[in-house]
Amino acid sequence: MREQAQRHVHLTSFLLFLSSLLPLSAAPPPLPPLHASSAAATFKVGLILDMTSSVGKVCRTATRMAVDDFYAAYPNSTSRLRLLPRDSSRDVVNAADAALDLLTNEKVHAILGPQTSVEAPFVSDLGAAAHVPVVSFSATSPAVSPARSPYFVRAGASDAAQVRAIAAIIQAFNWRRVVPIYEDSDYGTALVPFLVDALGEVDAAVPYRCALSPSSTKDHISAELYRLKTLQTRVFVVHVTAPLALLLFPLIQQAEMMSDGFVWILTEGLTSQLGSIDPFYFVRDTMQGVLGLKPYIPMTGPLKDFKRRWRREFLKEDPESDITDLSNFGIWAYDAVWAVAAAAQRLGAAVGPDFLRRSNSSRATDFSKLGVSKTGPKLLDYIKTTEFEGLGGRFRLQDGQLNVTAYQIMNVNGEKAREIGFWTAKYGLRRELNLSSAKAYSANRDGLRPVIWPGYSTAVPRGWVTPTSGRKLRIAVPGPVEPGFHSFLNVERDPDTNDTRASGFVVEVFEAAVRRLPYALLFQYESFRNASGTSAGDYNDLVHRVFDKQYDAVVGDVTITANRSNFVDFTLPYTVSGVSMVVPLRDQHSKNAWIFLKPLTSDLWLVSAAFFIFTGSVVWILEHRRNTEFQGTAGQQMGTVFYFSFSTLVFSHRENLVSNLSRVVVIIWVFVVLILQSSYIASLTSMLTVQQFAPTVSSFEELKNSGHNVGYLRNSFTKGLLLKLGFEETKLKPFHSPQQYQEALSNRSVAAIVDEIPYLRVFLKDYCGNYTMAGQTYKTGGFGFVFPKGSPLVSDLSRAILNLTEGDEMVEIERRWFGDQTSCTNQGSTLSSDSSSLDFNSFWGLFLITGTVSFVCCLIYLLRSAYRNRRSFRDITAEQSFRKRLISIARLLDGRSNCAPERRNDERKEIGSTMVGESPSASPYSNYQESQTSISNDTFDGGSPFSELGRSLPETRLHAEVDEGSY
């Protein structure tokens, strides 16, 4: 698939190249029609190159072929370029002399070159003075630019365009320190400011800059390399010209710096020449594993054909050369010739003697002979606006220089460099240049193919080592530390070496964060104490020492405050922030006479009592008409209701139930009572057997109103916080150790200790059994490490602290120094009196069930009673007074049935006795009249449908019908 895609790209590019030959310029105004001309005007163009250098040799052949190719495509051009080559010998004076000769003697219309960025400023100034365009394809330094010199045109990429790509590589591999090695010339020094700014945007520092003179000797370079080797940084960006690189990299190999752990990144000036450096074995022997950047030029069909022709022509001119590859500079030189030829064609008939003499000058120098071109401004405009599909892609100048949209990232492996990815300003690092799936900018190394690093290693270098030299950071630690807080921070002096040794939670967190930095950090602790061994000041004084640059940092329990942040920078806090208080614990149930009420909350007590009464009332409604046990005077009936309902608590109710409806109600209610009783007993048992602790003071407001003394840590800012909250200064007592905290709390000289949470945790580590933190927490900034304003270590250490706190290492550090506070048995009990009480929310479902069942049974009973007594209700509704209606309805519903269950039971016993012979004269039908009377009373108005049936049935059958109807 990839080969097919490449063939498709090549075919497309070839077709575009062929179409570009029809009209040469795609930008308006187009080339004028070409007419046959027997004598084309000569268009002189100077060419200034270093003919002995590899770039000069490559570009000379490429420019000559460009002229031939252009006029082979346009044989009827009205003008014809004539290249006038000059050899600068890589010397500024020679380049200036060649430019002056071309302008004054040859009267050239334009100059191609010069080759190097060192030569370009002077030549461009001469071109600006003569109004002659200077088109360079290899002078890439930002020191010379179209913005500074109006007649300078860069037909190649500016070095400043590559710095963001270099920064993206640094960011992708998380290297935080980079050392640039650059040539101390206009070519090298002009790039450094752009590079440093780009590295700063990705939080990469430049701790050292290595500048090498173009005339540096081997001894000088070796000395600089030894200095670099003693530093901790192992990431280097090399920006030198090829002659200096030929001297530098063999010395790097000799210094064993092209080995495992080192990173070398080449700028595009060197990377573009990797295939054309002479001798050919130089790259293979000295540059294995280096990374490089070069502007991306797609390999199209026309480019591939030109490279083949160029190699043939180049070997004809220099058969002994080891150069086998056409560099980007050669391609840009080819396109630059086509741009100038196209501009000359657009200039048309204006080509001719067009130099004007300057004003008369008394000085007889070569510069006084320099004229001013009449056609130069127009030619410059044509060159800048010319667009076409060249060998290097779309030739389009933006602000007078070539616009490069993508960079190719190379990795030297063997004799050549292989492609490992691309960088674009919009999408960042990508393996492929196909951006159809790209959505956002990426600086992730996963966007690159695997890299072979120096030393033939595949492991990504960390970019730093512990340095063997360099100044150590002077880190102040507070001292002496208050006794009892040594687990938090402890500072001692070694009697043998007189060095300061620090330990404790704070120090361990700091050193763990330093280990996570992407570079080494050398430091030494210095105790903040005076000659007498006491503290040299409070923490505000210590912070000001960093502000005055007496110390490089402070590692200690320094609270982040707004006032201190005006003078220094803090890292992110590494502890829990806030101020709270420690108070004694008391058993809230041990001496409480009303503890039996605690298992249930007040709302549950009220709801339970209400349902007891409600359930008893429902049972009375269902039973009182027919069950003599629920009859009697009003007082007796009320007593029965309350006794029956509350006797269900112990399941000792003695009343017999007649109605099946009441039995259903009682069954459901007994189930609810069983659950309530079991829950109550379990909760009360827990309260009586397990100690329930609660803080003696629950809030700062309660503490302030109590008028008791309050303790705080001496020299702490918490005193100011308490005064701000309204506490009396006479009630504030300073202490300096956890032991003093415990003594003051135990003898009740203070009611609470107010301090920052980390200190309170140290105290609770030893005394958590009798004390606890209580009340609200007042937020503070927490503890942070102190650094001077603008220190790059702040962001790096803050990031390391975040990584530390998100992992398990911080938990282990806290457990090691503060212990496992979850082992405190007393604090494991609930600290709130309500937390162990059962509330209504836990049982509302049960009450809903029993209430619903009781209501439904009561409703069924009332509906059936209303149906049986419908005639009586009809008579009642005829009454005029509403009050009489209510009284009549109440009397009707309160009417008692004569068919009492006890009486029926006695009759059944008598019948049973007769059947066994105790009373032979008794007849089963002897009580027929009594049964008839009973049925009549049971129907209230004598209209029951069972009245006729009762006259014709035996007594036993009649009683069965009556019992069934009572349900």
Side-chain angles (χ1 to χ4, degrees), residues 613 616-617 620 630-646:
I613 299 173
S617 301
W620 176 81
F630 287 87
Q631 297 174 2
T633 64
Q636 290 176 339
Q637 295 184 55
M638 185 174 297
T640 300
V641 168
F642 280 94
Y643 178 79
F644 175 83
S645 60
F646 285 98

Side-chain angles (χ1 to χ4, degrees), residues 62-140:
T63 54
R64 180 179 58 78
M65 294 178 65
V67 173
D68 295 340
D69 290 347
F70 183 88
Y71 293 109
Y74 296 95
N76 297 325
S77 298
T78 57
S79 61
R80 186 176 182 87
L81 260 67
R82 178 188 172 192
L83 293 179
L84 302 175
R86 296 290 187 272
D87 186 4
S88 67
S89 300
R90 206 177 188 83
D91 183 79
V92 177
V93 176
N94 290 341
D97 181 68
L100 190 60
D101 174 60
L102 292 171
L103 292 173
T104 57
N105 298 327
E106 298 293 344
K107 299 291 192 297
V108 294
H109 297 84
I111 294 177
L112 289 172
Q115 178 179 321
T116 66
S117 298
V118 179
E119 303 163 355
F122 197 18
V123 174
S124 63
D125 289 341
L126 291 175
H131 292 185
V132 172
V134 177
V135 183
S136 178
F137 41 81
S138 56
T140 57

Side-chain angles (χ1 to χ4, degrees), residues 718-784:
T718 53
K719 179 180 179 181
L721 175 62
L722 291 172
L723 293 176
K724 186 178 180 181
L725 293 176
F727 286 84
E728 297 180 13
E729 188 171 3
T730 57
K731 299 293 184 180
L732 304 181
K733 305 299 179 182
F735 301 101
H736 59 79
S737 69
Q739 292 77 15
Q740 289 189 352
Y741 284 177
Q742 195 274 336
E743 292 175 3
L745 289 171
S746 61
N747 60 28
R748 301 182 184 278
S749 59
V750 296
I753 297 293
V754 178
D755 207 342
E756 293 181 86
I757 291 178
Y759 296 122
L760 297 181
R761 292 174 62 187
V762 174
F763 170 76
L764 291 176
K765 173 188 175 183
D766 299 323
Y767 304 104
C768 65
N770 300 318
Y771 307 97
T772 184
M773 278 191 287
Q776 65 271 36
T777 299
Y778 288 93
K779 291 296 183 181
T780 62
F783 293 162

Side-chain angles (χ1 to χ4, degrees), residues 468-646:
T468 59
S469 65
R471 187 181 73 87
K472 295 182 178 181
L473 295 179
R474 297 180 59 201
I475 297 182
V477 288
V481 181
E482 297 289 359
F485 290 107
H486 290 167
S487 60
F488 202 83
L489 178 64
N490 187 28
V491 181
E492 298 176 348
R493 185 173 294 277
D494 192 332
D496 297 329
T497 62
N498 205 30
D499 293 335
T500 299
R501 293 183 301 183
S503 61
F505 170 75
V506 174
V507 174
E508 189 166 348
V509 170
F510 173 73
E511 293 178 353
V514 168
R515 288 194 296 269
R516 293 173 177 261
L517 293 177
Y519 48 83
L521 186 66
L522 297 180
F523 59 88
Q524 62 183 15
Y525 295 119
E526 296 186 11
S527 179
F528 184 60
R529 64 178 69 189
N530 50 33
S532 62
T534 60
S535 178
D538 59 14
Y539 282 13
N540 289 330
D541 297 329
L542 184 56
V543 168
H544 277 280
R545 296 292 180 91
V546 177
F547 175 73
D548 296 334
K549 301 188 183 304
Q550 297 183 32
Y551 294 110
D552 297 313
V554 173
V555 172
D557 48 345
V558 183
T559 303
I560 302 172
T561 63
N563 181 55
R564 292 171 180 173
S565 64
N566 292 328
F567 303 96
V568 295
D569 283 343
F570 288 91
T571 63
L572 290 177
Y574 57 88
T575 61
V576 178
S577 60
V579 173
S580 188
M581 63 178 175
V582 164
V583 297
L585 290 170
R586 59 180 174 84
D587 188 354
Q588 60 180 352
H589 296 321
S590 59
K591 298 180 181 180
N592 191 346
W594 302 97
I595 191 173
F596 66 89
L597 296 176
K598 295 294 183 180
L600 304 184
T601 57
S602 57
D603 57 346
L604 186 56
W605 277 117
L606 294 175
V607 172
S608 300
F611 267 83
F612 272 107
I613 299 173
F614 172 72
T615 304
S617 301
V618 171
V619 172
W620 176 81
I621 292 173
L622 299 175
E623 293 286 337
H624 84 284
R625 292 191 59 257
R626 300 188 58 257
N627 194 337
T628 57
E629 296 184 11
F630 287 87
Q631 297 174 2
T633 64
Q636 290 176 339
Q637 295 184 55
M638 185 174 297
T640 300
V641 168
F642 280 94
Y643 178 79
F644 175 83
S645 60
F646 285 98

Side-chain angles (χ1 to χ4, degrees), residues 167 198 398 400 452 463 533 567 717 772 851 922:
Q398 184 176 352
I452 304 298
F567 303 96
F717 77 99
T772 184

Side-chain angles (χ1 to χ4, degrees), residues 388 547 841:
F388 58 93
F547 175 73
N841 292 330

